[in-house]
Amino acid sequence: MPEKIILLNDLRSPLLPVPAAPDAPTGLLSDALGRPLHDLRISVTDRCNFRCVYCMPKEVFDKDYAYLPHSELLSFEEITRVARLFIAHGVEKIRLTGGEPLLRKNLERLVGMLRALPTPSGRPLDLTLTTNGSLLARKARALKDAGLDRVTVSLDALDDAVFRRMNDVDFAVADVLHGLDAAHEAGLGPIKVNMVVKRGTNEDQILPMARHFKGSPFILRFIEYMDVGASNGWNMVDVIPSAEVIRRIGAELPLAPVAANYTGETAARWRYLDGGGEVGVISSVTQAFCQDCTRMRLSTEGKLYTCLFATQGHDLRTLLRKERSDAEILGAVAQLWRGRTDRYSEQRTVDTSGLARGKKVEMSYIGG
Ligand code: SAM
Ligand code: SF4
Ligand code: SF4
């Protein structure tokens, strides 16, 4: 039984320090391990209508769980300002996430505001969103019209009983598939479908999912179950290594590896030898990709996290609300990135208890 987790709006996030003499952004920031800042993941809500057993288990996220009050959330204007400053620092890709991002009211308004941001290179910003798909059928068209490029949809099983058990709110597979079709029709592609594989829970869905999405417009990716947060009771024995996923699929549907699209691509790609498209595997546990990790994360209430496994955020919201200047915030962000040394997944061992000093933040709060 996972232990009860602490409130998230706690005191673990010191104010992001503002350097005395901020320097102008060059778009060429690099962290202590030489990694550039390219991506920003923005969590727009800590709420979700699912209770996926590996992310927001019901016994922790129950009716007494204290979600953030609305006043604590960054407004769309505040998020857009942060995004504009990150773009000045070289960010080219923004992913909206959560919680379930489509629960945030009028999200398409935020999408439109982000879309309107100019980039230093003149190349359009890559603007994407990760969703559980439950509200996609209703929202796909408005999101596309507002300027969203594409979506990634999480789906952990094709079998309805398995899926209902995993989302733990009795949500049907058919409704997510309907959302996927709506997103495809709206032109929100290329659409990726992410399946978290947990041993003994949905491993029997690997092949049905592969068969279903083979030859479809959707790119299926298998994600190793990770030890994010403090509430999912993670254990290494529950992880099915990606190599095993590929072996199981390849035994029925022969596969060959494909070269990466770009450095830092998190998914290793495999193509079906019969021309039926490709699948990807994200080996966050067995083959860490920290050396190429170019992501900063912005939590729902404006804390910056330099790693998914961080135990501490850096309070940016206070700077925004204390009317600090753009130059000051740019300087603060640059200083934070330059000092970044995170490489949790490369250091992870079977026993993760000694690694993170303090309690890791929840995935539903920081975003995937
Ligand atoms: N609610 C949205 C969704 O489910 O797509 C967006 C947020 S969710 C936290 C983002 C991604 O994180 C999802 O694809 C989810 O499956 C994945 N995720 C959550 N907990 C995970 C874990 N323990 N290990 C691996 N992936 C996880
Ligand atoms: Fe919600 Fe996404 Fe977490 Fe599932 S994985 S509980 S849909 S935030
Ligand atoms: Fe990036 Fe941290 Fe994940 Fe490594 S563990 S890939 S540094 S988010």
Side-chain angles (χ1 to χ4, degrees):
M1 164 88 174
E3 65 188 293
K4 197 83 181 169
I5 62 167
I6 47 172
L7 292 183
L8 292 162
N9 47 346
D10 62 10
L11 300 172
R12 286 177 299 158
S13 300
L15 188 64
L16 185 63
V18 175
D23 45 347
T26 59
L28 298 171
L29 262 187
S30 134
D31 75 7
L33 303 176
R35 298 168 294 190
L37 171 59
H38 272 162
D39 316 54
L40 179 63
R41 295 205 173 177
I42 303 175
S43 173
V44 292
T45 177
D46 59 337
R47 291 165 197 259
C48 189
N49 52 347
F50 282 16
R51 286 292 173 275
C52 301
V53 289
Y54 54 76
C55 179
M56 295 181 78
K58 254 184 187 163
E59 36 314 2
V60 174
F61 295 87
D62 57 15
K63 62 175 176 26
D64 298 326
Y65 185 81
Y67 293 97
L68 294 165
H70 196 76
S71 59
E72 301 260 322
L73 270 48
L74 289 191
S75 67
F76 288 169
E77 287 68 23
E78 287 169 329
I79 292 175
T80 306
R81 179 176 180 212
V82 174
R84 176 170 57 76
L85 299 178
F86 270 83
I87 290 169
H89 267 319
V91 160
E92 294 172 341
K93 178 172 167 184
I94 291 184
R95 178 177 296 278
L96 301 177
T97 179
E100 174 44 44
L102 298 186
L103 288 182
R104 180 85 185 248
K105 250 180 148 178
N106 302 321
L107 190 72
E108 53 281 11
R109 192 167 78 80
L110 175 63
V111 169
M113 290 162 75
L114 296 174
R115 178 81 290 157
L117 291 172
T119 61
S121 66
R123 277 195 305 274
L125 179 72
D126 184 6
L127 188 54
T128 168
L129 172 143
T130 304
T131 171
N132 62 25
S134 58
L135 301 168
L136 202 47
R138 243 179 286 164
K139 301 225 166 183
R141 174 51 59 194
L143 290 166
K144 178 69 188 178
D145 290 348
L148 190 69
D149 288 317
R150 53 204 174 81
V151 289
T152 296
V153 178
S154 307
L155 178 64
D156 294 330
L158 208 58
D159 178 273
D160 208 43
V162 176
F163 185 59
R164 284 176 196 260
R165 262 201 308 280
M166 284 193 85
N167 64 55
D168 216 8
V169 293
D170 220 22
F171 201 84
V173 171
D175 292 333
V176 178
L177 295 179
H178 187 43
L180 271 172
D181 288 339
H184 177 60
E185 274 158 34
L188 285 169
I191 298 174
K192 291 169 184 153
V193 175
N194 280 353
M195 169 177 172
V196 175
V197 184
K198 191 173 175 199
R199 195 180 294 282
T201 303
N202 63 342
E203 62 179 291
D204 64 344
Q205 295 299 300
I206 296 171
L207 269 161
M209 287 281 285
R211 288 184 205 117
H212 181 84
F213 288 106
K214 181 169 176 280
S216 78
F218 309 108
I219 303 164
L220 177 60
R221 305 182 320 165
F222 298 90
I223 303 181
E224 288 177 349
Y225 169 51
M226 289 187 286
D227 50 327
V228 282
S231 62
N232 68 4
W234 186 86
N235 191 317
M236 187 72 187
V237 299
D238 295 329
V239 179
I240 300 199
S242 295
E244 190 180 328
V245 171
I246 291 299
R247 252 194 320 275
R248 288 194 199 184
I249 300 172
E252 179 182 315
L253 309 164
L255 288 165
V258 183
N261 274 333
Y262 54 92
T263 325
E265 190 171 35
T266 48
R269 299 160 59 209
W270 293 74
R271 68 181 170 82
Y272 292 110
L273 289 182
D274 68 0
E278 59 179 71
V279 288
V281 284
I282 303 183
S283 316
S284 343
V285 177
T286 61
Q287 277 194 302
F289 34 79
C290 300
Q291 65 200 42
D292 294 323
C293 182
T294 55
R295 284 181 286 281
M296 182 88 94
R297 293 179 156 86
L298 177 67
S299 80
T300 313
E301 90 296 34
K303 291 173 185 172
L304 287 173
Y305 288 86
T306 53
C307 177
L308 181 55
F309 297 92
T311 52
Q312 194 180 64
H314 303 266
D315 175 15
L316 176 64
R317 190 185 65 196
T318 302
L319 299 187
L320 297 170
R321 295 195 177 168
K322 287 245 155 83
E323 295 180 20
R324 294 296 207 133
S325 68
D326 285 356
E328 286 174 314
I329 293 176
L330 282 164
V333 168
Q335 183 168 270
L336 176 64
W337 189 261
R338 286 198 186 104
R340 176 181 187 250
T341 56
D342 305 85
R343 49 187 204 93
Y344 178 93
S345 287
E346 286 180 353
Q347 296 168 318
R348 178 200 285 115
T349 59
V350 172
D351 174 17
T352 58
S353 55
L355 246 190
R357 273 161 302 169
K359 205 168 266 189
K360 290 175 287 184
V361 290
E362 294 300 316
M363 187 96 155
S364 54
Y365 158 78
I366 197 179

